[in-house]
Amino acid sequence: MEPSVPITGCGIICSIGNDTSEVLDSLRKGESGIRPMKYLRTVHSDIPVGEVQLSNTQMKALLGLGEDTPPISRTSLMGAIAVRQAIRDAGLSGLEGKRVVLISGTTVGLMDISEHGSDLSSGNECGACTTEIARLAGLGEARVCTVSTACSAALNAIILGAGMLKRDEADIVIAGGSESLSRFHLNGFNSLMILDREKCRPFDDTRAGLNLGEGAAFVVMEKGKKEGLAHIRGYGNRCDAFHQTATSENGEGASLAMEEALGMSGLSPDDIQYVNAHGTGTRDNDLSESRALQRVFTGRMPEVSSTKAFTGHTTSASGSIETVICILAMRNGFTPANLGWKNPIEGGIIPTAGHSGITLHNVMCNSFGFGGNDSSLVISDTRAESAALPDSDRACRTVADETVSSEEELPALREFISPMESRRMGKLMKAAFLASLRALGKAGISCPDAIISATSRGMLESSQLFLKEINSNGEEMLKPTLFMQSTHNTIGSAIAIRTGCHGYNITYSQSDESSFWALRDAERLIRTGKAGTVLVCSFDETAVPSPGVYARCLILAAN
């Protein structure tokens, strides 16, 4: 059992409230924030969403910014509001001399601003959003890091932060995520035909899809604190390695993540009283997650609910928003209702209608992202009594290093995959696959224990082409392939699917520091014995001196 990490403060803004007290009130009253659109301008005005009920101007005012301030992304504004709340809730002051790290999860970052222009090269940098949040929240001296693993990003940010504190790599970590609605985001999910035109009904047999939402939430974790609002006891990050958008029928990745989180916590499944499920309301997820829950909780099923019927699916921010909701539930003695549920799924779980006046000692929070990036967090009301993690002198070495830096090299990919499969890939995907498969072959490894990706701008070509389709052809009849390949973690998950890697999988997107964070994480996994071999893939599309692709893949292994 590893030592627990105290959460000493939290902040949240979403469709059911602009702070923790408002969110708590809505949860207790069972009031959903799914409504007709108010701020997003799109032809799909019939699609209900979970919008934050503040304009950009109002959010600027909350942050003390004047009306004449240049345009700022809604993602950054919400993130800064939530970070400031968390700092205030934790009573932080006098941060000078402290090692402060801000870790944020996001997928589309500044897209709500950049989608109105023609150049995505800077707007597609998720790290720019985190840097802006730090500046707006008064954390200009903090180290910043961005995790971009689609809908599990914010939970992975919290997991990363907790691990850094355990290993004495920071004094204070503020971790979470932020994501705003955008035409890019809305049309992407609409092209996948998984948006419900009514309020979503997670785990209901009549479920017809999800409602998109927006928002932000962050938690403060501090080194050396014994008490807190709650304590992180365990966490797991595993890959389903099944499909880029669909989930496996048996919920392999989800069950592995939950089992890993329980194993770290030292708790048994029977110790968990409540699970905040990923519960999107899609046909695939809810049945797959039901089966994963049934695999893990074989004796007694705890109370389970999805709170996405309250907030909408806030994508990259969902893990931190739901973590804060779990903390509110624990501290106020209730389980949130699974709104809209009436009809059981054959073979599925029966979610809770919500209960009050109960005691929650241990809860679990699940977040699953595109590409099968599945993460789970165990939170308790008391800290785990265990010693700090011992230092490890386990060393690692690079056993393979492959680089692809020219499009002229891409035909060599035919050595590994068929022309039909290759035709469905963008240039950057081809370069990353070629470098990865060459490196794995050189190292004599068919499946690494973990896959870590680093990118500044992600799948830029796919994002630009999808946005061009929206702007040129309108918001109807869009093809889903480009959107499916636009997320920053597309390559890491695609390689996991190709190799059958169910291990740790994460993507860093912090501008020029992306590779630093990725290599540091890989070395940490090997030093602590959590992996014997790690594939680290750095990739980006280049603009200088001429358009092109770049991918470098390393295989790190224990000595």
Side-chain angles (χ1 to χ4, degrees):
M1 181 175 64
E2 295 189 9
S4 60
V5 176
I7 294 174
T8 59
C10 57
I12 186 170
I13 179 170
C14 61
S15 65
I16 58 172
N18 299 327
D19 56 33
T20 54
S21 63
E22 291 182 4
V23 169
L24 175 60
D25 188 55
S26 295
L27 291 169
R28 281 174 157 167
K29 292 179 179 177
E31 295 178 347
S32 171
I34 309 300
R35 311 175 179 89
M37 291 182 202
K38 184 176 181 180
Y39 298 109
L40 182 62
R41 297 292 175 252
T42 171
V43 301
H44 300 299
S45 57
D46 62 316
I47 299 177
V49 295
E51 274 184 315
V52 167
Q53 294 299 289
L54 291 173
S55 68
N56 286 18
T57 300
Q58 289 172 313
M59 285 194 278
K60 284 182 181 180
L62 281 178
L63 293 168
L65 303 173
E67 292 186 17
D68 58 343
T69 305
I72 299 174
S73 169
R74 200 168 168 83
T75 305
S76 300
L77 292 170
M78 292 186 300
I81 288 170
V83 168
R84 283 195 184 184
Q85 289 176 7
I87 290 171
R88 185 165 57 250
D89 192 40
L92 292 182
S93 61
L95 298 180
E96 296 80 8
K98 297 287 184 68
R99 296 172 297 168
V100 181
V101 182
L102 172 66
I103 310 173
S104 181
T106 191
T107 297
V108 295
L110 309 176
M111 184 63 74
D112 61 317
I113 296 293
S114 59
E115 69 181 359
H116 296 292
S118 58
D119 181 16
L120 268 183
S121 58
S122 60
N124 220 48
E125 290 190 26
C126 292
C129 182
T130 305
T131 300
E132 190 167 58
I133 289 172
R135 177 180 63 82
L136 294 172
L139 293 173
E141 300 302 315
R143 185 110 202 221
V144 294
C145 177
T146 303
V147 175
S148 193
T149 55
C151 303
S152 60
L155 202 66
N156 282 329
I158 294 173
I159 288 172
L160 174 63
M164 290 183 70
L165 287 171
K166 288 182 183 183
R167 289 177 291 274
D168 192 27
E169 297 173 12
D171 298 316
I172 298 169
V173 175
I174 304 163
S178 183
E179 200 86 279
S180 67
L181 290 168
S182 65
R183 288 196 307 149
F184 184 97
H185 221 165
L186 183 78
N187 281 286
F189 278 88
N190 192 47
S191 72
L192 295 173
M193 296 187 291
I194 55 173
L195 293 182
D196 197 338
R197 263 57 180 180
E198 300 177 10
K199 290 185 177 181
C200 67
R201 302 168 298 287
F203 298 109
D204 190 274
D205 191 51
T206 69
R207 66 198 184 282
L210 58 88
N211 303 137
L212 276 178
E214 65 178 0
F218 285 84
V219 298
V220 173
M221 298 173 282
E222 298 183 67
K223 175 190 170 187
K225 293 280 187 176
K226 292 187 176 181
E227 300 303 326
L229 302 174
H231 300 262
I232 295 174
R233 287 278 295 266
Y235 42 80
N237 167 309
R238 301 296 290 270
C239 190
D240 204 29
F242 175 73
H243 187 270
Q244 196 60 48
T245 56
T247 53
S248 61
E249 289 188 3
N250 65 354
E252 180 72 10
S255 60
L256 288 171
M258 287 188 275
E259 288 166 356
E260 184 179 8
L262 284 168
M264 180 184 292
S265 72
L267 300 170
S268 73
D270 287 342
D271 292 321
I272 304 296
Q273 288 93 37
Y274 169 65
V275 177
N276 187 294
H278 187 57
T280 59
T282 62
R283 303 299 295 181
D284 277 348
N285 177 87
D286 292 4
L287 184 55
S288 175
E289 189 172 6
S290 287
R291 289 171 175 163
L293 287 163
Q294 290 160 351
R295 288 175 64 180
V296 174
F297 297 98
T298 56
R300 176 195 61 83
M301 183 66 66
E303 289 197 46
V304 179
S305 70
S306 168
T307 49
K308 288 181 173 65
F310 281 95
T311 64
H313 188 355
T314 56
T315 56
S316 291
S318 62
S320 55
I321 284 175
E322 288 155 20
T323 293
V324 172
I325 287 174
C326 285
I327 294 170
L328 293 174
M330 289 179 65
R331 293 188 64 80
N332 293 277
F334 74 98
T335 51
N338 195 103
L339 298 180
W341 185 88
K342 293 180 181 178
N343 309 288
I345 302 171
E346 184 177 354
I349 59 111
I350 304 297
T352 182
H355 293 97
S356 59
I358 62 175
T359 299
L360 298 176
H361 294 298
N362 306 296
V363 304
M364 176 180 283
C365 184
N366 289 338
S367 277
F368 310 144
F370 278 177
N373 193 292
D374 298 339
S375 296
S376 186
L377 189 72
V378 173
I379 312 168
S380 299
D381 60 352
T382 56
R383 69 190 185 98
E385 294 291 344
S386 59
L389 286 179
D391 291 333
S392 171
D393 57 1
R394 191 183 191 203
C396 65
R397 59 194 174 94
T398 300
V399 296
D401 185 346
E402 288 288 326
T403 299
V404 174
S405 57
S406 168
E407 291 184 32
E408 283 70 32
E409 300 176 63
L410 300 185
L413 187 59
R414 293 173 185 170
E415 177 186 347
F416 301 99
I417 65 175
S418 68
M420 178 65 74
E421 187 178 359
S422 176
R423 277 199 292 269
R424 293 195 294 266
M425 294 181 174
K427 293 190 292 290
L428 186 59
M429 175 81 80
K430 292 177 182 178
F433 255 66
L434 180 57
S436 297
L437 296 176
R438 278 178 172 173
L440 289 167
K442 182 183 287 186
I445 297 169
S446 60
C447 177
D449 295 330
I451 297 173
I452 301 177
S453 302
T455 181
S456 175
R457 293 178 295 277
M459 302 294 285
L460 184 59
E461 180 185 31
S462 296
S463 298
Q464 286 178 323
L465 289 173
F466 188 68
L467 188 58
K468 183 178 179 180
E469 277 200 16
I470 295 173
N471 292 333
S472 301
N473 304 324
E475 298 180 62
E476 304 286 355
M477 306 301 291
L478 295 167
K479 299 174 183 178
T481 305
L482 290 173
F483 178 69
M484 289 167 58
Q485 293 189 1
S486 70
T487 58
H488 286 47
N489 70 316
T490 295
I491 286 178
S493 59
I495 295 171
I497 294 167
R498 175 78 185 189
T499 59
C501 177
H502 290 289
Y504 182 83
N505 193 302
I506 195 168
T507 297
Y508 291 96
S509 182
Q510 190 56 55
S511 190
D512 294 338
E513 289 200 320
S514 303
S515 293
F516 163 81
W517 286 103
L519 286 168
R520 185 174 183 173
D521 202 2
E523 292 167 357
R524 182 187 298 126
L525 286 176
I526 291 173
R527 284 201 314 269
T528 57
K530 295 185 182 298
T533 58
V534 182
L535 169 66
V536 180
C537 184
S538 301
F539 58 88
D540 266 304
E541 293 174 63
T542 60
V544 178
S546 61
V549 293
Y550 174 84
R552 182 188 181 193
C553 293
L554 307 175
I555 305 292
L556 273 61
N559 276 338

